[in-house]
């Protein structure tokens, strides 16, 4: 299912984004690039809610929200776009309602469905950036493969317990893809529901995913490519691990 909110009144748009526009070498041109951007977020859980919130607040022109799940009570401690009144509501609808209140100048598309071969391809081809906030390796590998084929920049985040990780893939020559590192993650234990999660961890990673997306759209700042960022919330430490292209990778080689 796909719906769209259309907004026509943009009289106060510049005032809304003035603090971003003030940034050195960002200015009106940077804001125009955000306004013309199209981003899809896969997964409206803890990561996706935070990433979507800041992407929409920053002034993205069009965002596509993709999820097939429903809001349950245990989501509410960390999935900040969902509320008590939204329990048993599809997450894409709950999130869209809050995002519309945050920024009515943004076009919001919703896909209340699983990602299957007959719908994911057309969705990905229309985007300028994909933010992967899914909670399983199989889905991430599927999205990675399509993003690589169509050279759509991909930002992958994950969180569990007191830790999170993040990486950006923009398909430069000799750069790795997500498949190059997916074997390092345990496919049986990559879901935070199995491991538990400290609520602010997902917001830290989700906010950084939104920042990476803005950097890619505007060419402002240095994206986190060929690097896996590890965030340890227990000790409040960030570590960077260099990612090399896997010569045996079945996707990028």
């Amino acid at each position: 299912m796909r719906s769209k909110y259309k907004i026509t009144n943009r009289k106060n748009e510049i005032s809304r984004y003035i603090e971003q526009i003030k940034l050195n070498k960002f200015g009106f041109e940077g804001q125009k690039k955000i306004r013309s951007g199209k981003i899809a977020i896969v997964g409206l859980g803890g990561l996706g809610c935070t990433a979507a919130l800041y992407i929409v607040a920053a002034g993205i022109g069009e965002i596509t929200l993709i999820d097939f799940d429903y809001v349950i009570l245990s989501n509410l401690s960390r999935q900040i776009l969902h509320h008590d009144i939204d329990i048993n509501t599809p997450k894409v609808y709950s999130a869209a309602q809050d995002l519309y209140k945050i920024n009515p100048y943004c076009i919001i598309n919703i896909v209340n469905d699983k990602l299957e071969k007959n719908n994911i391809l057309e969705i990905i081809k229309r985007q300028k950036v994909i933010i992967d906030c899914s909670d399983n390796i199989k889905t991430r590998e599927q999205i990675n493969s399509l993003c690589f084929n169509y050279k759509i920049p991909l930002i992958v985040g994950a969180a569990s317990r007191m830790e999170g990780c993040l990486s950006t893939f923009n398909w430069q020559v000799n750069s790795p893809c997500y498949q190059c590192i997916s074997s390092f993650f345990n496919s049986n234990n990559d879901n935070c529901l199995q491991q538990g999660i400290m609520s602010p961890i997902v917001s830290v990673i989700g906010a950084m995913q939104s920042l990476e997306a803005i950097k890619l759209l505007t060419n402002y700042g240095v994206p986190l490519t060929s690097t896996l960022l590890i965030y340890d919330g227990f000790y409040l430490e960030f570590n960077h691990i260099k990612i090399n292209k896997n010569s045996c990778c079945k996707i990028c080689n």
Side-chain angles (χ1 to χ4, degrees):
M1 182 178 179
R2 181 174 181 267
S3 333
K4 182 179 287 188
Y5 292 106
K6 294 183 179 180
I7 302 300
T8 56
N9 181 13
R10 298 172 181 167
K11 184 175 65 173
N12 297 320
E13 206 168 352
I14 298 302
S15 297
R16 178 184 291 264
Y17 310 122
I18 191 63
E19 298 304 323
Q20 289 175 183
I21 292 170
K22 288 178 183 177
L23 287 168
N24 185 35
K25 298 182 180 179
F26 188 81
F28 288 101
E29 289 305 311
Q31 193 60 46
K32 287 179 182 177
K33 290 176 182 178
I34 297 177
R35 187 68 184 87
S36 64
K38 294 182 179 181
I39 288 178
I41 295 183
V42 183
L44 271 298
L47 297 173
C49 282
T50 302
L53 187 156
Y54 283 107
I55 287 292
V56 167
I60 191 68
E62 183 173 336
I63 189 170
T64 299
L65 310 176
I66 307 168
D67 204 315
F68 64 91
D69 211 352
Y70 289 75
V71 178
I72 61 176
L73 184 61
S74 62
N75 297 152
L76 303 185
S77 66
R78 67 192 183 282
Q79 301 180 16
I80 57 177
L81 296 179
H82 311 311
H83 312 284
D84 287 87
I85 196 173
D86 301 317
I87 290 174
N88 297 324
T89 300
K91 287 184 177 181
V92 288
Y93 290 106
S94 172
Q97 289 173 359
D98 256 29
L99 293 172
Y100 177 67
K101 294 174 185 177
I102 290 167
N103 191 349
Y105 299 108
C106 175
I107 295 173
I108 303 173
N109 305 316
I110 57 177
V111 180
N112 182 30
D113 200 357
K114 290 185 177 181
L115 287 178
E116 305 291 350
K117 289 183 178 179
N118 62 344
N119 68 4
I120 187 176
L121 179 59
E122 289 305 314
I123 293 170
I124 284 180
K125 286 169 62 177
R126 293 188 294 106
Q127 311 305 319
K128 291 187 177 180
V129 176
I130 301 290
I131 302 180
D132 187 343
C133 300
S134 60
D135 63 359
N136 66 88
I137 291 175
K138 182 179 178 181
T139 299
R140 292 175 199 145
E141 289 180 341
Q142 179 188 15
I143 295 169
N144 172 77
S145 176
L146 289 173
C147 286
F148 175 78
N149 288 339
Y150 291 94
K151 300 300 181 286
I152 309 297
L154 171 65
I155 303 162
V156 180
S160 181
R161 296 169 300 212
M162 290 284 286
E163 301 169 342
C165 62
L166 173 73
S167 193
T168 297
F169 305 94
N170 63 350
W171 322 121
Q172 299 300 307
V173 176
N174 296 321
S175 67
C177 72
Y178 176 76
Q179 188 84 34
C180 292
I181 61 171
S182 65
S183 61
F184 293 106
F185 299 99
N186 186 338
S187 60
N188 295 320
N189 293 297
D190 69 325
N191 191 319
C192 68
L193 294 179
Q194 298 170 333
Q195 301 290 323
I197 183 74
M198 185 63 74
S199 297
I201 299 294
V202 292
S203 288
V204 172
I205 302 300
M208 288 193 289
Q209 286 182 283
S210 67
L211 179 59
E212 284 293 287
I214 291 170
K215 286 156 63 177
L216 290 171
L217 286 175
T218 62
N219 195 29
Y220 187 80
V222 180
L224 189 71
T225 54
S226 298
T227 302
L228 179 66
L229 184 147
I230 305 291
Y231 172 62
D232 184 339
F234 196 86
Y235 293 102
L236 208 63
E237 293 179 347
F238 288 91
N239 293 289
H240 293 74
I241 300 173
K242 180 70 174 177
I243 305 174
N244 294 318
K245 192 180 186 73
N246 183 351
S247 61
C248 298
C249 180
K250 63 182 181 181
I251 300 300
C252 62
N253 271 315

